Amino acid sequence: MKKKLVSCLISFTLLSSLSTPLLAKAQENTEDIKGSLVIAGGGIGTSNHEIYEKFLSLAGGKEKAKVGIIPAASTTLQSSKKFKEDLVKYGANSDSIKILPVSNHDFSDTQKDESTWKNQVNDKKLSRTIKGLTAVWFVGGDQTKIVDSLRQNNGSDSEALKAIWDIYRKGAVIGGTSAGAAIMSDVMITGGDSLGALKDSLENKENKHVSKKQRSQKEYEPLSIQKGLGFFQHGIIDQHMDERARLGRLAVAAYTSERDKEKNFAYGVDEDMAMVVNNKDQKIEVVGRSGVAVLDMSKAELVSKQKARSGLENIKVSYLSPGDKINYHLKSFEFPKERVETKGFEYYSFNALPATGVFTPYGRLKAYLSYSLVDNESMKSAKSYVYDSKGSGYEIAFQKDNDTNGYWRYTDGQKDDYSIVNVKMDITPKTFKFQPDRKTSLTYKKPTFSSSESPAYDSIKGNLLIAGGALGSSNSSVYNKFINLAGGKQAKIGIVPAASTKFNSSNQFKSDLIKYGVKAENIEILPISNHDFKGTSENESTWKTNMNSDKLAQKVKGLTGIWFVGGDQTLITGSLRNENGSDSKVLQAIWHTYKNGAVLGGTSAGAAIMSNTMLAGGDSYGALSYGFTNTYDDMNQQEGGPAYLEKGLGFFQYGLVDQHFDNKARLGRLIATAYEKGNKNQLSYGIDEDTAMVVNNKEKQIEVVGRGGITLVDLAKVQANDKFPSDYKNILISCITPGDKVNLTTKEIVINPAKTSTRKNEYYSEKVGPNTGLFSPHGVLRKFLAYDLVDNAQSKEIKSYAFNQNKGFELTFRKSAESNGYWAYTDGQKDDYSIVKVALDIKPIDVDIR
């Protein structure tokens, strides 16, 4: 069953030690270490070949690697066996991989009593076995169990731990994930969250020892530390960084350690990510799929702001991405040559809202700092918050400094990849008060947009593949699905480039199709556009007349698949509709091919055009606060403000579609649009990035394919306040993931049978506070609802807030009579949840921050 990061038993009074070293070094003499470290943040996907191949390479190569797996952190042997299977899959010899008998407790999935292994850590046979290894791996679970299993009661190293140190010094690689990462540094973080770390270290009160049961009654958990194994001597390590929003607790832990504060960075490793430490070169390479947060606390100061409450100022935050390197001795960074600096060349220019909860666009730390600050010329500073349900908490202010910079490139096809350096972070105590808004000063405008219904076709033989944006070239499930629906590798595919301002995305998609087996001569970029493209000698704005070309229309009728690339969806409709709003000959031909069996697909803007009412601009806060606008201002309108609607192409007949749903937090704008312009007997669909909704018109069914999820909005039972806009009750929210299906007419949700129901079988039982922004765990809507509500026995309802200055909304997610959660592992040891029919109430509020 699922593994829960267990809160550790040692609670630490930080206030009393703010100016003294925390712990002594584990090993003083580390200059002669020839070995390396692979420190993974948890949740490693089996398909994450970069991490597995790097580990095996450092272990001597696939043929020569001899790996010992230490299972001590876990309560079962499942994760150890799974890691062994993964190594074999990547080419290692099964006979050269051993699960070592290191544990201080029994495992629940075996007949043996492994608690007796504690007595074997000084056994010479085990030491000899370890000394014959080229690599050791620590699985995830509870890091205190690893330390207790390898250290003796007096705190000295066991013979097994000495043997690990011996092979590490001589050249072996030591790796670990989650708990196996936490043990790597001297100062080992064993429990706590960001709010708990801040409150219990920066507020003048005694932090008494509390039991696990007592902690579960609190909305936050204080920071706990112990002495780690010290393989990494150059800073503190934390893990699950972005998913569990641990930047605050890492900052507090680093500040309390004078040695680390002055000399070293502190490191927070994201899930599915690793930092690879080369001791000889004194460098760290960033490997995997997300990022590594790096904190420079050398100039950080404790500043009194309120009575008995203090803040931290002058923290420098950097966030590195795959391919980047850190020189930990010089405290400097190296970036690949293909990265482009953002300073002075910022791509975005929009007024980013503060990060306040699950309605915040780019609401995860790395993405928020990238889009909303570092690569945004309009922004000099940005804010987020963290607080408990009583309103006691902190403001987190991020600011561009003289040495702040960003580095951008595309990765895995058309996905943005950012690295960020030296953003200044200040943490200030604040109190928050939320009250119902009795008389709003906001001007809410209802939509004046009117779209005649597209004709309903019961006999459509074709299908749709609607992708939410940022489609990775490696997302084989989506590409193969599109190709199969188009007739297999003999498919004839036309690419519509109209949404973009360059041909990069069209050329990339063509290249990807060829990689997946489609013949190059069967793929054509169609001359459909109403504007010129950058970087070409031709003036493509002349293509506008092509929309009524008989020759092009005839060519389109011979295709088996048509793909719309991303960009600006209004450019697609402007390239396929006549000025009087009627369908051009080419659009009529697309409809002809679709009705007769072709698949139509698109990503981002190419997804937005699929429904009859097209969402073309606005964000959640803007749509709920200000309603709708008739004007369209390109980037500014795409990134925020009131919602903007146009008539789409209407290929999807069963409701509204929105895209970039998780990354741009568009639930609020989808709800507002569905209430004002949708059919309340139909569902509305929000598609995550790197994910597709596959529409089978014959079966009247959708299926989720890809790496994210689809959010379903059901307004059939909604209650609204006609005298007060955006005051809703009983909105039903569902979140489905790959393998799940929905009947488009009955709205029945069919969950992948591999998943287990959480109802009356909840894994967690904890009191949770509101989701408040970048320091709140599980910032993506689906994970917030999964961990904090449907799989949490204590939670009946949970809250989040969306506000700007003194106006906003309280979001209350409730378990309804129909609510359920469904869980399974996916891609190794990663939790995968589906959520069915959680009730959502939205209440306008006044906000007072002091």
Side-chain angles (χ1 to χ4, degrees), residues 103 140 267 285 355 360 362 408 426 557 567 593 680 710 723 730 744 768:
S103 176
Y267 304 86
E285 181 183 0
T360 301
Y362 313 114
W408 169 91
D426 298 332
K557 289 181 180 180
T593 60
K680 294 181 179 58
I710 296 175
K723 297 180 180 179
N730 293 327
L744 290 163
V768 295

Side-chain angles (χ1 to χ4, degrees), residues 541-735:
S541 63
T542 61
W543 288 0
K544 185 169 183 178
T545 58
N546 289 349
M547 72 170 72
N548 287 306
S549 165
D550 290 325
K551 182 179 179 181
L552 183 57
Q554 196 60 36
K555 179 180 288 186
V556 166
K557 289 181 180 180
L559 300 174
T560 60
I562 298 172
W563 184 264
F564 297 87
V565 301
D568 183 341
Q569 47 264 52
T570 65
L571 298 178
I572 301 176
T573 54
S575 300
L576 286 171
R577 281 220 173 88
N578 296 310
E579 292 185 5
N580 63 3
S582 62
D583 292 357
S584 67
K585 290 181 179 180
V586 170
L587 183 53
Q588 292 173 26
I590 293 172
W591 268 103
H592 178 272
T593 60
Y594 175 43
K595 287 189 286 183
N596 285 280
V599 58
L600 306 184
T603 182
S604 186
I609 53 98
M610 293 290 181
S611 50
N612 190 53
T613 296
M614 181 175 76
L615 287 81
D619 67 352
S620 288
Y621 179 82
L624 292 171
S625 299
Y626 306 109
F628 298 81
T629 180
N630 294 325
T631 60
Y632 182 65
D633 185 18
D634 193 31
M635 182 189 293
N636 283 331
Q637 199 63 37
Q638 289 189 39
E639 298 299 332
Y644 174 73
L645 308 178
E646 280 194 12
K647 180 175 173 61
L649 299 185
F651 301 126
F652 181 63
Q653 303 272 307
Y654 302 97
L656 298 172
V657 171
D658 207 349
Q659 18 76 46
H660 294 284
F661 207 70
D662 55 351
N663 199 31
K664 297 194 178 184
R666 286 174 165 170
L667 178 61
R669 87 166 189 179
L670 183 58
I671 289 170
T673 306
Y675 181 79
E676 298 287 0
K677 301 301 298 183
N679 181 340
K680 294 181 179 58
N681 292 318
Q682 294 178 328
L683 297 174
S684 295
Y685 304 84
I687 308 170
D688 290 350
E689 294 183 347
D690 218 6
T691 307
M693 181 170 87
V694 180
V695 181
N696 185 318
N697 284 298
K698 182 179 179 181
E699 301 292 335
K700 292 183 171 54
Q701 179 178 266
I702 69 160
E703 178 185 3
V704 187
V705 176
R707 293 172 173 156
I710 296 175
T711 300
L712 311 173
V713 176
D714 189 345
L715 298 183
K717 298 179 181 179
V718 70
Q719 300 172 21
N721 184 346
D722 293 334
K723 297 180 180 179
F724 211 105
S726 301
D727 187 348
Y728 300 113
K729 291 183 179 179
N730 293 327
I731 302 166
L732 291 181
I733 304 295
S734 301
C735 301

Side-chain angles (χ1 to χ4, degrees), residues 409-630:
R409 68 176 175 184
Y410 275 135
T411 183
D412 193 12
Q414 295 292 301
K415 302 173 75 170
D416 287 328
D417 180 37
Y418 282 97
S419 300
I420 301 156
V421 295
N422 296 324
V423 171
K424 183 174 178 287
M425 180 174 73
D426 298 332
I427 302 172
T428 306
K430 297 284 185 180
T431 56
F432 302 80
K433 189 174 183 180
F434 305 109
Q435 293 183 320
D437 187 353
R438 302 300 184 188
K439 188 176 181 181
T440 185
S441 60
L442 302 177
T443 304
Y444 182 93
K445 294 182 179 179
K446 286 185 170 292
T448 58
F449 163 80
S450 178
S451 175
S452 58
E453 289 295 320
S454 293
Y457 297 100
D458 293 328
S459 59
I460 295 176
K461 297 178 182 177
N463 301 292
L464 298 172
L465 189 147
I466 309 174
L471 180 61
S473 298
S474 63
N475 196 330
S476 58
S477 58
V478 172
Y479 279 95
N480 286 330
K481 190 72 172 182
F482 180 73
I483 292 168
N484 290 336
L485 291 172
K489 295 180 179 179
Q490 302 302 316
K492 295 181 179 180
I493 296 172
I495 301 172
V496 178
S500 185
T501 57
K502 297 185 291 187
F503 279 111
N504 292 24
S505 52
S506 297
N507 289 329
Q508 178 68 56
F509 189 72
K510 180 177 180 178
S511 176
D512 291 341
L513 291 177
I514 294 170
K515 183 181 79 171
Y516 284 101
V518 181
K519 294 180 179 179
E521 59 267 27
N522 288 353
I523 309 167
E524 183 175 351
I525 298 174
L526 301 174
I528 298 173
S529 176
N530 64 353
H531 60 280
D532 191 23
F533 286 82
K534 298 175 182 178
T536 67
S537 57
E538 185 176 356
N539 181 4
E540 289 83 8
S541 63
T542 61
W543 288 0
K544 185 169 183 178
T545 58
N546 289 349
M547 72 170 72
N548 287 306
S549 165
D550 290 325
K551 182 179 179 181
L552 183 57
Q554 196 60 36
K555 179 180 288 186
V556 166
K557 289 181 180 180
L559 300 174
T560 60
I562 298 172
W563 184 264
F564 297 87
V565 301
D568 183 341
Q569 47 264 52
T570 65
L571 298 178
I572 301 176
T573 54
S575 300
L576 286 171
R577 281 220 173 88
N578 296 310
E579 292 185 5
N580 63 3
S582 62
D583 292 357
S584 67
K585 290 181 179 180
V586 170
L587 183 53
Q588 292 173 26
I590 293 172
W591 268 103
H592 178 272
T593 60
Y594 175 43
K595 287 189 286 183
N596 285 280
V599 58
L600 306 184
T603 182
S604 186
I609 53 98
M610 293 290 181
S611 50
N612 190 53
T613 296
M614 181 175 76
L615 287 81
D619 67 352
S620 288
Y621 179 82
L624 292 171
S625 299
Y626 306 109
F628 298 81
T629 180
N630 294 325

Side-chain angles (χ1 to χ4, degrees), residues 363-413:
R364 302 291 286 272
L365 180 65
K366 180 182 172 185
Y368 185 77
L369 293 181
S370 299
Y371 294 102
S372 298
L373 183 63
V374 174
D375 200 17
N376 189 338
E377 67 177 359
S378 296
M379 299 292 290
K380 303 300 180 187
S381 61
K383 293 180 180 179
S384 186
Y385 306 94
V386 62
Y387 45 84
D388 59 23
S389 59
K390 295 181 180 179
S392 174
Y394 298 84
E395 175 186 271
I396 302 101
F398 300 96
Q399 184 175 327
K400 288 178 181 175
D401 219 334
N402 292 332
D403 55 352
T404 302
N405 208 342
Y407 299 85
W408 169 91
R409 68 176 175 184
Y410 275 135
T411 183
D412 193 12

